[in-house]
Amino acid sequence: MSNSSLIPLIKDYLKQEMTLGNWEAVAPETLPPEPGDVKAYLAKKASAKKPVKKVESEPLNKFREPFRIGSGSKEEELKRLMEYALGCRQCALCQTRSNLVFGSGDPEAEIMFIGEAPGEDEDLQGAPFVGRAGELLTDIIEKGMKIPRKSVYIANVLKCRPPMNRDPQPNEIDCCTPMLACQIRIIRPKAIIALGAFASRYLLNTKSGINALRGSFHTLRIDGMAIPVMPTYHPSYVLREYTIEVRRKVWNDVMQVVKLLEKSKEA
Ligand code: URA
């Protein structure tokens, strides 16, 4: 194997170690001094005993009392919920994340955006949609819908980053979505925009794909509320498929929400 063909392997290996928080493995002084040593280095690393990472104070899947919404303000109840979420050890993602990404925005928001799961930037900063997809989402909100980003609330189906940005797994969704449901019950938004298939499928309890769901309103019934939900494409998908057609569809979807809220104010 040539040295150049080893480079992607090394990159993958280092990324994996970083994801696991194994900083010792990616520290520059532990890198092989000569490219020729790479094979031996990787073999030695693979056979070396991994240091035990002590991030947990509680066992995984520990039984938890469900969170109960109290009588505080929306801001206070969201803060209590975030503290509850910080203690969550129900799935293994708490072991590999850097930060919990609880959600951000106005607790009194009329519109909630719900994405899939934190990516690398969000994991590092502890805030949702702060990477490239986040920049596009900000443009959709501020340039398209003409409202400040800080006036909406943004959350995700998962609160912890799945390693290497893989898809959320069913057990992770089961563990995490009760917290999302509490966020919705506290905020009581007038409309939700579901970004992509994972958010749309959870909110609408369906297995349908995003193409079938987007473009028209659906209803989320929760706590005596009937919240209109507009599924649309995830900003990451829009970045991958940056065509006029895709952008026009997203534009149509979000503008339907703007019009709905305008109408509800006129009534
Ligand atoms: N993608 C998501 O679904 N959520 C984020 O917070 C960032 C990227």
Side-chain angles (χ1 to χ4, degrees):
M1 193 182 268
S2 72
N3 286 341
S4 62
S5 61
L6 278 170
I7 288 172
L9 281 178
I10 300 166
K11 279 191 176 161
D12 275 356
Y13 172 77
L14 294 176
K15 224 171 168 186
Q16 178 196 315
E17 293 298 312
M18 283 164 77
T19 307
L20 292 170
N22 190 2
W23 295 102
E24 176 260 345
V26 294
E29 63 271 25
T30 67
L31 292 177
E34 297 294 333
D37 292 350
V38 164
K39 251 182 171 169
Y41 167 79
L42 286 179
K44 192 170 155 229
K45 264 297 183 198
S47 64
K49 199 169 167 269
K50 288 238 164 75
V52 180
K53 195 175 167 232
K54 288 186 188 147
V55 286
E56 282 194 78
S57 53
E58 303 167 48
L60 288 177
N61 299 319
K62 178 176 180 274
F63 171 77
R64 306 188 84 205
E65 282 289 321
F67 179 81
R68 292 194 195 289
I69 298 173
S71 55
S73 68
K74 290 183 181 187
E75 189 178 359
E76 286 162 352
E77 293 308 308
L78 283 176
K79 194 161 171 263
R80 279 205 317 116
L81 179 61
M82 188 173 90
E83 276 151 20
Y84 174 90
L86 276 166
C88 180
R89 298 287 180 271
Q90 290 188 98
C91 81
L93 295 183
C94 63
Q95 293 179 300
T96 50
R97 72 165 187 225
S98 315
N99 286 294
L100 178 89
V101 180
F102 178 71
S104 72
D106 186 352
E108 306 285 340
E110 293 190 340
I111 306 178
M112 245 181 116
F113 285 82
I114 300 178
E116 182 179 312
E120 187 178 20
D121 295 306
E122 291 75 21
D123 176 63
L124 292 173
Q125 296 184 42
F129 283 98
V130 290
R132 277 188 70 220
E135 278 171 27
L136 178 58
L137 180 61
T138 306
D139 282 351
I140 292 170
I141 297 170
E142 302 208 326
K143 296 189 182 151
M145 301 170 82
K146 303 254 184 292
I147 48 177
R149 175 173 161 147
K150 64 176 177 357
S151 71
V152 305
Y153 194 90
I154 305 176
N156 279 309
V157 169
L158 295 190
K159 308 287 180 244
C160 298
R161 182 192 182 204
M164 318 297 270
N165 296 347
R166 62 157 169 73
D167 282 351
Q169 301 298 294
N171 71 310
E172 294 159 358
I173 296 174
D174 288 349
C175 291
C176 219
T177 43
M179 288 183 280
L180 174 60
C182 284
Q183 285 174 303
I184 298 169
R185 289 167 61 215
I186 293 170
I187 295 169
R188 305 180 75 82
K190 292 203 173 126
I192 295 177
I193 298 181
L195 302 167
F198 280 93
S200 305
R201 286 186 185 140
Y202 164 67
L203 292 168
L204 306 175
N205 192 21
T206 176
K207 290 192 165 72
S208 300
I210 188 67
N211 282 314
L213 296 171
R214 63 145 294 277
S216 49
F217 281 110
H218 303 252
T219 304
L220 169 66
R221 293 186 191 282
I222 186 167
D223 259 6
M225 297 178 280
I227 306 177
V229 176
M230 174 59 72
T232 193
Y233 291 127
H234 192 286
S236 303
Y237 172 79
V238 181
L239 287 173
R240 283 196 307 274
E241 297 290 321
Y242 205 70
T243 62
I244 296 208
E245 197 196 349
V246 167
R247 283 183 283 159
R248 193 171 285 150
K249 283 179 178 169
V250 173
W251 169 259
N252 284 334
D253 298 344
V254 299
M255 289 317 284
Q256 287 193 59
V257 175
V258 172
K259 284 188 190 128
L260 181 82
L261 294 187
E262 279 171 3
K263 253 198 200 155
S264 78
K265 275 173 198 149
E266 285 164 13

